[in-house]
Amino acid sequence: MGTNRVFALVIGCVVSLVAFAVLGVGVLLFFGYVAQDDEGRISLPTAPLTTASSALVSEDVSLVDSIDPQVSDRVTVSVRVASSDPAREVLIGIAPTADVRDYLRGVAHTVVTDVEFFPFRAGYDNVTGSDTAASPLDQPWWFDRASGTGTTELEWRPQGGSWTMVVMNADGSAGVDVDVRAGVRVQSLGPVAASVLAASALLLVLGVGAIVFGASGLGRRTASETAAESKPLDEPDTLLSATEQSRYPVVLTGTRPESLSRGLWLVKWILAVPHYIVLVFLLAGFFVTTFVAGLAILFTGRYPRGLFDFNVGVLRWVWRVQFYSYSALGTDRYPPFTLHRTDHPADLVVDYPEKLSRGKVLVKWWLLAIPHYLVLSLLAGGWYAGFRIAGNGGDAGVTGQPYIFGSVLGVLVLIAGITLLFTGRYPRGLFDLVLGINRWVFRVAAYAALMTDEYPPFRLDQGPDEVESAQKDRVDDDVSGHGEHEVGEQTL
């Protein structure tokens, strides 16, 4: 692989990842701008909070020691508080966390730990105490505070350090029942959101451009591959020729080994780590190039050849790693670090389509492929484990029930591994079935990646080689037909 192309692919993936992160921030800022009220404030719904203790206290808000003054001047946090008793004076204040802890030490108070709005639910952590709170109005350590009857509002510009917000009755008495509404005002939020979105778009263009440049070069076919594709198909066997002509355009093969190590499969997960790291970047490039190829197909009806070869190479690389590891355990031969075809026992080939449907690009990767996704979620969906909570918290209490779910492929590979461990053999029928499921997976993957318009068949073509499997099926059909003919002759 060319060093420049590899470097471009890696840099493109990193830049694209940063671009998506910046895009997410820009989208949040844009929705925040849209959600502003007439006063330029983005407000949460009103939260009715209550406690029988002396104070409602927020969880600690820890900010960096030093905040850029430009940020601090642009952002204002506002909190509005209204007592359920209009005649009662309430105080809302913010102060350093250490001062609030000293003030409330020994005083019963409530920490608001969580607030959910749809539906409303507040989580409280009650701190016990027997002391009476001193008058909060007389405390000198408040960074900012406001008090009064009716609706009281406090505005605060974020500062570095650890801060705590407190809501109390102004006389320090127990029993606080208030409606609280928090909001934030950001100056020039619209221009800031537009700038962030523009920056993300620029980064995304640069990242995608680098990925396409790297992928198109890395996927370029070698001279031997080009010669193999241009070589006329020999037809010494009419049966074999007909089978090859009718095969699905995605061909997955995996040679069954004569022998395998009994225990190597137990550590293949760590041996394959270098491949996993490389595949993170390759698959990121795969998704980007598939999107770019989809646009090209939509307007031209053709899949750019360089991107096609790269994406086929990525699928081939994935299949080699999966054949070596826990999708098949089919070989002990370490997968090569290349996109191109080699003599490795696992291989994948996809016929290049000269023309593709423009309209199917919009629907085949999600709508048309849904039936296959449902089937494959059971056949090859992987392993899932969890802890299910049962009970309603009443007299019966709450019980936990662990569960585990394995796909058909996962169970078959596990059986193959245990069989290898104790016998050193990989049963032929089990190997053929594992290859059939993987073949189905990669056919659907290639179809969803827009590489072919031919709909994947709903069948398990078992065995290491698709042509061999198809031949066997046809021979069985011929034998069956011949037997029926003989029976007919005897009857006559």
Side-chain angles (χ1 to χ4, degrees):
M1 287 190 278
T3 304
N4 293 338
R5 302 285 185 168
V6 173
F7 182 76
L9 180 65
V10 173
I11 293 299
C13 290
V14 173
V15 172
S16 296
L17 181 62
V18 173
F20 280 114
V22 175
L23 177 63
V25 174
V27 170
L28 288 176
L29 292 175
F30 174 75
F31 280 109
Y33 172 73
V34 173
Q36 286 180 325
D37 57 23
D38 294 338
E39 299 178 3
R41 182 188 292 108
I42 306 168
S43 298
L44 294 173
T46 300
L49 304 178
T50 182
T51 179
S53 63
S54 297
L56 287 166
V57 181
S58 72
E59 290 188 295
D60 301 341
V61 179
S62 297
L63 304 176
V64 294
D65 293 335
S66 179
I67 296 180
D68 191 333
Q70 293 184 353
V71 175
S72 180
D73 292 341
R74 288 177 175 271
V75 179
T76 303
V77 177
S78 64
V79 181
R80 293 178 178 178
V81 177
S83 174
S84 59
D85 181 0
R88 170 166 287 184
E89 184 180 3
V90 296
L91 173 141
I92 178 170
I94 188 166
T97 299
D99 292 332
V100 173
R101 287 178 179 173
D102 290 341
Y103 171 65
L104 294 176
R105 184 172 287 113
V107 177
H109 60 280
T110 300
V111 180
V112 182
T113 57
D114 182 38
V115 176
E116 297 179 4
F117 294 99
F118 305 106
F120 178 80
R121 185 187 70 83
Y124 299 103
D125 185 6
N126 295 310
V127 180
T128 59
S130 57
D131 296 345
T132 302
S135 173
L137 295 174
D138 298 335
Q139 305 307 313
W141 36 259
W142 294 110
F143 180 82
D144 202 354
R145 68 177 176 83
S147 60
T149 58
T151 300
T152 303
E153 182 176 4
L154 172 70
E155 291 192 344
W156 175 62
R157 296 186 183 277
Q159 307 290 323
S162 181
W163 303 91
T164 300
M165 189 164 290
V166 182
V167 178
M168 302 179 65
N169 296 323
D171 56 6
S173 60
V176 181
D177 188 3
V178 293
D179 290 335
V180 179
R181 188 174 190 185
V184 62
R185 183 187 295 111
V186 181
Q187 296 181 9
S188 305
L189 183 57
V192 171
S195 300
V196 173
L197 290 174
S200 68
L202 178 59
L203 289 173
L204 192 58
V205 169
L206 293 176
V208 170
I211 289 175
V212 171
F213 171 77
S216 59
L218 294 175
R220 187 174 297 142
R221 292 167 295 165
T222 62
S224 59
E225 290 175 318
T226 304
E229 289 185 2
S230 61
K231 182 179 179 180
L233 180 66
D234 294 332
E235 298 186 358
D237 188 338
T238 305
L239 178 61
L240 181 61
S241 174
T243 301
E244 288 185 346
Q245 291 175 3
S246 63
R247 67 172 173 78
Y248 191 74
V250 180
V251 179
L252 179 143
T253 57
T255 304
R256 182 172 177 267
E258 294 296 330
S259 63
L260 286 170
S261 168
R262 294 191 176 199
L264 183 63
W265 67 273
L266 295 171
V267 295
K268 283 183 176 179
W269 63 273
I270 192 169
L271 297 178
V273 166
H275 280 283
Y276 296 150
I277 295 174
V278 175
L279 286 174
V280 168
F281 294 96
L282 289 178
L283 289 173
F286 178 89
F287 287 113
V288 172
T289 52
T290 299
F291 177 77
V292 173
L295 294 178
I297 296 169
L298 187 62
F299 290 101
T300 68
R302 294 179 59 86
Y303 203 124
R305 187 59 192 254
L307 301 186
F308 181 87
D309 292 335
F310 170 79
N311 285 347
V312 172
V314 173
L315 290 181
R316 182 181 295 126
W317 195 320
V318 171
W319 167 230
R320 286 175 185 152
V321 175
Q322 291 188 348
F323 187 72
Y324 171 78
S325 58
Y326 300 104
S327 284
L329 297 179
T331 183
D332 289 340
R333 181 176 171 184
Y334 200 69
F337 285 83
T338 179
L339 297 169
H340 302 293
R341 301 185 67 183
T342 67
D343 60 349
H344 191 269
D347 195 18
L348 176 75
V349 177
V350 183
D351 295 340
Y352 179 71
E354 294 298 333
K355 200 72 174 175
L356 289 168
S357 168
R358 298 185 183 186
K360 286 184 179 179
V361 169
L362 301 174
V363 294
K364 67 182 180 182
W365 56 274
W366 66 280
L367 180 61
L368 299 182
I370 284 177
H372 283 285
Y373 294 156
L374 295 176
V375 175
L376 292 179
S377 66
L378 298 176
L379 287 180
W383 290 87
Y384 305 93
F387 198 74
R388 181 172 55 251
I389 302 299
N392 55 11
D395 296 336
V398 177
T399 59
Q401 299 176 355
Y403 67 89
I404 186 170
F405 169 78
S407 65
V408 174
L409 180 61
V411 173
L412 293 177
V413 173
L414 178 61
I415 294 173
I418 294 174
T419 305
L420 278 173
L421 188 63
F422 288 99
T423 69
R425 296 180 61 254
Y426 199 134
R428 174 66 181 266
L430 185 59
F431 180 86
D432 291 348
L433 182 55
V434 166
L435 264 290
I437 296 176
N438 278 289
R439 184 169 289 121
W440 193 334
V441 170
F442 278 86
R443 284 173 176 174
V444 174
Y447 179 78
L450 315 178
M451 295 179 180
T452 179
D453 282 343
E454 187 172 338
Y455 199 69
F458 280 91
R459 67 172 187 261
L460 283 171
D461 288 334
Q462 302 182 46
D465 190 288
E466 295 186 48
V467 174
E468 176 183 333
S469 176
Q471 267 191 301
K472 181 178 180 300
D473 291 341
R474 183 171 296 187
V475 169
D476 291 342
D477 292 341
D478 290 344
V479 171
S480 176
H482 182 64
E484 292 176 357
H485 179 66
E486 289 182 347
V487 171
E489 288 181 346
Q490 292 177 0
T491 302
L492 291 175

